[in-house]
């Protein structure tokens, strides 16, 4: 089966515009009446729902920022009574003000639909065995792929992340044909596979759906070569729905966006002006079918561009280019979104070190590593080694508790970390993507 939903994936531009316009008008009405936050924002901008009559009017609407979700934590932007919410996910961090997202039953259905399209792009059918090695839990990766795979009728192997030896055993014994995980984990699996003496010919793998973090075409070539598969880039973010927001097809020339659910725009992140097709800028999404957490013009901070030409695969829906970076300082370490400021808060809260730190991110054996350097205060420096080790341990535990990632913590001598006269350089990212 080539397409999952040919009607929507191959619509003419005129038909798509009609669908989007109707859905946008309805969404704006619903949001205005149900979400006080948006009502205020629209009223401040002098807007009534009736002012939104066409796609041209989209640019009049206010933007939504990640900070808005944090400020209204946990449920302030939900547009339905909480009794209608059947699932909650959250992005990164295990405590504090993370971004919380909620789905109604219909949202879960929509998510399965867009994920079925994504997996079909990679060639998935009822006959496929899909090994879901994205994490299950509050992260959207595992369950997002899971529901899409079930919708297609494929056989789902819900193994979740980690336990590499077992992943390989299962991949071989269960006859996995499609692997779903982050691209860095795919490379790690390839490496461990070679180490274990498993040849790619021993497996049944045909394709992989890799995303949740940026990756380069070099990395793609390496994964394809070592696993003997076609590697498809899939994109998404929890706020918009999770995975399923965009996916490459076999042409590997841009990621198709299910525009009947999400309207993309590219803006200049500084002037906030909408840019014409083909321009590189910040990707912004408006959801037009979501019920639980509909979002107007959500600022993703991801850098991309849009291409409206019909793809060789026959799909007419717009393609976004591979994400080339971010407009903020968010890092993605082993699939977890990390802001340097979150680590800074941990350090300040513990308060036993100097306020100078440096994060060193690297990729060792295809796995991301994070090292946190923190300067000791002069008095701590003269203390016993045991004391210093205890503080390192405490910081490591706290980072793990707050962000859910393992970091190596090193207390360094006072004045080791270079001071800067302008913006402090807090991060050294040595990963060559
Ligand atoms: O990472 C959803 C997802 C799960 C996508 C599984 C694909 C596969 P969040 O944790 O909210 O959601 O992180 C969203 O991850 O704004 C991008 O910066 C980054 N990202 C996601 N996919 C890609 C990709 C999931 N294919 C943030 N290429 C986004 C580059 C990606 N960056």
């Amino acid at each position: 089966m080539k397409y999952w939903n040919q009607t929507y994936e191959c619509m003419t531009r005129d038909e798509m515009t009609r669908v989007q316009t109707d859905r946008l008008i309805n969404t704006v009405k619903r949001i205005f009446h149900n979400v006080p936050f948006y009502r205020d924002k629209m009223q401040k901008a002098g807007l009534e729902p009736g002012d939104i009559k066409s796609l041209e009017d989209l640019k009049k609407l206010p933007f939504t920022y990640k900070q808005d979700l944090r400020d209204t934590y946990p449920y302030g932007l939900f547009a339905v009574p909480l009794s209608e919410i059947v699932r909650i996910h959250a992005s990164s961090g295990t405590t504090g003000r993370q971004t919380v997202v909620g789905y109604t039953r219909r949202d879960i259905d929509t998510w399965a639909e867009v994920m079925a399209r994504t997996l079909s792009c990679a060639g998935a059918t009822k006959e496929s065995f899909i090994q879901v090695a994205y994490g299950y839990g509050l992260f959207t990766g595992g369950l997002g792929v899971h529901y899409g795979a079930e919708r297609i009728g494929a056989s789902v192997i819900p193994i979740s992340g980690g336990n590499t030896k077992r992943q390989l055993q299962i991949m071989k014994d269960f006859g996995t044909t499609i692997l779903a995980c982050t691209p860095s984990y795919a490379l790690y699996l390839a490496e461990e596979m070679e180490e274990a003496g498993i040849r790619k010919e021993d497996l049944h793998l045909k394709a992989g759906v890799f995303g949740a973090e940026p990756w380069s075409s070099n990395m793609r070539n390496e994964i394809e070569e070592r696993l003997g598969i076609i590697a498809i880039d899939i994109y998404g973010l929890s706020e918009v729905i999770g995975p399923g927001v965009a996916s490459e097809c076999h042409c590997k020339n841009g990621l198709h966006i299910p525009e009947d659910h999400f309207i993309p725009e590219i803006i200049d992140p500084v002037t906030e002006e909408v840019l014409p097709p083909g321009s590189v800028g910040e990707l912004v999404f408006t959801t037009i079918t979501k019920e639980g957490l509909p979002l107007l013009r959500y600022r993703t901070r991801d850098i991309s561009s849009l291409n409206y030409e019909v793809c060789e695969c026959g799909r007419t829906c717009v393609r976004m280019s591979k994400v080339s970076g971010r407009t903020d300082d968010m890092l993605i370490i082993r699939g977890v979104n990390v802001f340097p400021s979150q680590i800074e808060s941990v350090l300040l809260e513990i308060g036993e070190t100097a306020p100078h730190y440096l994060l060193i991110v690297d990729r060792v054996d295809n796995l991301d590593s994070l090292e946190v350097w923190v300067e000791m205060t002069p008095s701590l420096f003269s203390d016993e080694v045991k004391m210093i080790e205890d503080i390192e341990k405490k910081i490591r535990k706290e980072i793990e508790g707050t962000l859910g990632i393992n970091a190596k913590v090193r207390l360094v001598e006072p004045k080791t970390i270079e001071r800067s006269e302008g913006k402090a350089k807090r991060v050294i990212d040595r990963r060559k993507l």
Side-chain angles (χ1 to χ4, degrees), residues 22-230:
D22 280 355
R23 293 180 176 181
L24 175 67
I25 291 172
N26 280 331
T27 297
V28 171
K29 267 190 211 144
R30 213 154 29 80
I31 283 184
F32 186 88
H33 293 296
N34 298 344
V35 189
F37 168 87
Y38 275 120
R39 185 159 57 239
D40 284 357
K41 261 196 167 187
M42 282 180 63
Q43 282 170 342
K44 280 200 184 107
L47 279 177
E48 292 273 317
D51 295 330
I52 307 303
K53 300 188 201 78
S54 71
L55 294 187
E56 266 301 292
D57 296 327
L58 185 61
K59 59 176 180 291
K60 296 182 184 161
L61 290 166
F63 290 112
T64 311
Y65 302 87
K66 202 180 188 74
Q67 191 58 39
D68 294 330
L69 283 140
R70 293 204 176 115
D71 291 346
T72 55
Y73 174 89
Y75 306 137
L77 293 189
F78 287 15
V80 295
L82 291 175
S83 56
E84 297 300 309
I85 297 291
V86 300
R87 178 94 65 77
I88 288 169
H89 282 279
S91 95
S92 76
T94 48
T95 55
R97 297 212 148 190
Q98 43 194 317
T99 38
V100 179
V101 298
Y103 304 72
T104 63
R105 205 170 286 288
R106 209 183 102 192
D107 292 335
I108 296 287
D109 191 63
T110 303
W111 196 10
E113 158 73 21
V114 291
M115 271 314 297
R117 291 190 204 175
T118 286
L119 293 166
S120 302
C121 271
T125 65
K126 273 167 69 68
E127 319 303 328
S128 305
F129 285 80
I130 304 183
Q131 183 159 338
V132 187
Y134 285 112
Y136 279 64
L138 286 178
F139 176 56
T140 52
L143 284 164
V145 177
H146 186 109
Y147 275 59
E150 277 194 356
R151 173 64 55 91
I152 289 179
S155 310
V156 188
I157 307 168
I159 185 164
S160 195
N163 209 337
T164 308
K165 282 207 171 64
R166 191 149 168 263
Q167 297 270 1
L168 291 171
Q169 181 88 47
I170 282 181
M171 200 182 290
K172 187 160 161 258
D173 297 351
F174 293 11
T176 302
T177 58
I178 295 183
L179 172 65
C181 61
T182 58
S184 48
Y185 194 55
L187 257 187
Y188 183 64
L189 278 168
E191 201 171 73
E192 291 292 295
M193 184 179 107
E194 286 152 21
E195 203 123 291
I198 303 174
R199 296 168 316 148
K200 57 187 176 191
E201 294 76 20
D202 300 332
L203 304 174
H204 296 86
L205 271 190
K206 290 198 177 99
V209 281
F210 305 127
E213 62 185 11
W215 52 309
S216 61
S217 20
N218 284 343
M219 203 162 155
R220 184 201 314 259
N221 294 341
E222 199 170 331
I223 295 174
E224 290 190 329
E225 169 55 33
R226 292 170 83 168
L227 289 177
I229 58 172
I230 173 170

Side-chain angles (χ1 to χ4, degrees), residues 66 90-92 134 139-142 145 181 209-215 233-239 242-244 255 300-302 322-323 325-326 330 332 335 337:
K66 202 180 188 74
S91 95
S92 76
Y134 285 112
F139 176 56
T140 52
V145 177
C181 61
V209 281
F210 305 127
E213 62 185 11
W215 52 309
D233 188 9
I234 70 168
Y235 168 86
L237 60 165
S238 328
E239 294 85 342
L255 292 80
T300 66
R301 303 291 180 195
D302 291 320
K322 235 174 170 344
V323 171
R326 290 190 52 91
M330 186 178 94
I332 304 181
N337 303 345

Side-chain angles (χ1 to χ4, degrees), residues 363-375:
R363 191 161 276 175
V364 183
D365 295 335
N366 295 316
L367 276 187
D368 293 340
S369 66
L370 169 67
E371 205 170 295
V372 181
W373 287 21
V374 200
E375 271 185 22

